[in-house]
Amino acid sequence: MTRIEVNLEKKPSTSYEIYIGQNILDRMGLVITKKNWASRYIIITDSNVSPLHGDRVQAALKEMGLKVDQIDFPAGEASKNIQTIFSIIHRMIEVGADRTSALIALGGGVVGDITGFVASIYMRGIPYIQVPTTLLAQVDSSIGGKTAIDLPQGKNILGTFHQPKGVFIDLAFLKTLPPREFGNGLAEIVKCGIIDDPELLSLLEKEAEAIRNQDMILLEKIIARTCRIKKGIVEIDEMETGLRRILNFGHTIGHAIEAESGYSISHGEAVSVGMVAAANISDRLKYLPSEDRERIRSLIRMIGLTDRIPPTLSTDGVSSRIKRDKKKEGDIVRFVLLKKIGVPFVNGGVPEALVRETIEALKK
Ligand code: ADP
Ligand code: ZN
C-alpha cells in the first residue's frame, strides 16, 4: 500500500493521508479505527455502487466493531441537486447522526461532491472520508476538498472547500467500472503527465497497451504518481486562486464540447480533444514545439482516448460556450497553454478565430 501525505498550510490539523493499494478495505478498517475520527460512520453511496460494493465496505468496518449506517441515492449527475442534499440530511437526522458522526463517500465524483457538501454543512461541518470507486475520482475529484451541487442554471454553482480526513483508493473497485468511465480517469492522468511530469508521460507512452488492459500493478503506480501531482498543486493553492488553474489544461475547450454535445461526449473524451486543441493552439502561437504537440496527440490515441469530435458538433455552439465559461474574467477567456511538456502557463490572449479554426480541425 502506498501512502501519500497531503499537507495544507503545513499544520497537522489540515493534513491527511491518501492510501492507495489493491484490496485495502481491511486495512482501511484498521486505519479508521485507529484514527478514531468519529463515534459512528454513515456511508453515502449511489444506486450503482451500493449493490456492487456497499456490503463489502460495510463488512470491513463492522469487522472492526465500528457502528455503520448507509444511505443510498439514485446514481447519476441528475442527483447532484439540493433535493438529494435534503433527503440525505433527513435520513441522517432519522438515524440520529450528530456532530460526532462522520460520512464516508463511497462512489465516483458525484457521490464525492454530494457527500463532501453535506459533510461541510451538517451541524456546521462534520468529518468525512473519501473512498473513490471510479478512476476519475481516484486521481482527480477525491483529492483537493472541492464539493459542489448543480442548480438548474449551471453545474457546481453551490459548493464549499472541505478537506476529507483521509482518502482510501482501492484498485479493486475498478474491476466493475464500465470502459467509458475508465477513459474519463485516463484523460486526467494524461493531463497530469503533460502539465507536470514528463517522466509519467514517458511511462504512459511505454506502457500504453498494458494500461488499456488495466494491468493493476502498473495502474497502482500511475495512480499514485498522479495523486502526488494533484496533491502537490493543491498544497500550494488550496483555494484555487492561482497555480491550481493549470489543472484546467484541456478543460476550457473540453467543457464547452462536453456541454455542446448535450453530454453525449464524455468528460474524458472532451478533455482529450480539449488537450489536443490546447496543444495545437500552443503550437500555432509559437510556444510549443510541434514535436511536443504531435507527441501529445499520438499518446492520446495510443492509450485509447480520442482526438476527434463529430463533424456535426457546431463550432459556433462550442465557441460561444467557451466565451460563457466561468473562467471568463472581463472579456478575456483564459486558456492553459504549454511552453513545453511539463511547463504550462495561463494565457488570456488567444484570438477567437484561432480557437474556431482549432475546433474545426478536430473534426478532420
Ligand atoms: P465520476 O465523476 O467519477 O465519473 P460518477 O459518480 O458520475 O463519477 O460515476 C460514474 C458512473 O459510474 C455512475 O453511474 C456510478 O454509479 C458508476 N460507478 C462508480 N463506481 C463504480 C464502480 N466501481 N463500478 C461500476 N460502476 C461504478
Ligand atoms: Zn476533468
Side-chain angles (χ1 to χ4, degrees), residues 20-22 138 169-175 216 219-220 223:
I20 306 166
Q22 292 175 59
Q138 293 184 342
I169 298 177
D170 191 338
L171 279 95
F173 290 124
L174 301 180
K175 298 209 168 94
M216 286 293 164
L219 268 180
E220 182 175 342
I223 291 171

Side-chain angles (χ1 to χ4, degrees), residues 140 188 251 267 271:
D140 194 48
E188 304 290 344
H251 281 64
H267 185 66
V271 169

Side-chain angles (χ1 to χ4, degrees), residues 316-332:
D316 283 341
V318 176
S319 167
S320 66
R321 280 177 197 274
I322 290 171
K323 283 184 267 171
R324 269 186 275 151
D325 190 277
K326 69 172 188 297
K327 302 285 170 318
K328 185 179 145 176
E329 283 152 40
D331 251 346
I332 302 170

Side-chain angles (χ1 to χ4, degrees), residues 51-122:
L52 291 169
H53 305 292
D55 287 351
R56 280 196 309 123
V57 175
Q58 276 203 40
L61 300 176
K62 285 181 177 160
E63 180 80 6
M64 298 304 303
L66 297 169
K67 183 166 166 32
V68 186
D69 289 285
Q70 184 178 314
I71 298 172
D72 296 3
F73 65 83
E77 177 83 21
S79 281
K80 257 180 74 170
N81 59 41
I82 197 82
Q83 282 73 35
T84 308
I85 300 299
F86 283 141
S87 84
I88 291 172
I89 288 175
H90 291 159
R91 289 289 316 283
M92 286 170 64
I93 295 167
E94 261 167 36
V95 300
D98 62 17
R99 294 182 56 192
T100 69
S101 310
L103 302 183
I104 297 179
L106 174 67
V110 170
V111 172
D113 275 359
I114 289 177
T115 308
F117 189 66
V118 171
S120 71
I121 56 174
Y122 190 73

Side-chain angles (χ1 to χ4, degrees), residues 175-193:
K175 298 209 168 94
T176 59
L177 197 66
R180 205 163 182 231
E181 302 296 338
F182 189 77
N184 284 341
L186 217 46
E188 304 290 344
I189 291 173
V190 170
K191 178 193 79 180
C192 283

Side-chain angles (χ1 to χ4, degrees), residues 121-140:
I121 56 174
Y122 190 73
M123 299 190 172
R124 302 198 179 88
I126 59 171
Y128 78 117
I129 295 160
Q130 289 275 17
V131 186
T133 63
T134 63
L135 185 59
L136 179 58
Q138 293 184 342
V139 297
D140 194 48

Side-chain angles (χ1 to χ4, degrees), residues 14-52:
T14 53
S15 301
Y16 57 94
E17 273 158 321
I18 306 166
Y19 304 82
I20 306 166
Q22 292 175 59
N23 301 308
I24 60 165
L25 292 186
D26 293 346
R27 272 170 293 172
M28 173 175 91
L30 276 169
V31 173
I32 293 178
T33 309
K34 201 168 126 232
K35 297 277 187 180
N36 200 20
W37 286 309
S39 65
R40 58 184 293 183
Y41 294 85
I42 301 167
I43 297 170
I44 312 286
T45 190
D46 74 22
S47 53
N48 290 337
V49 179
S50 172
L52 291 169

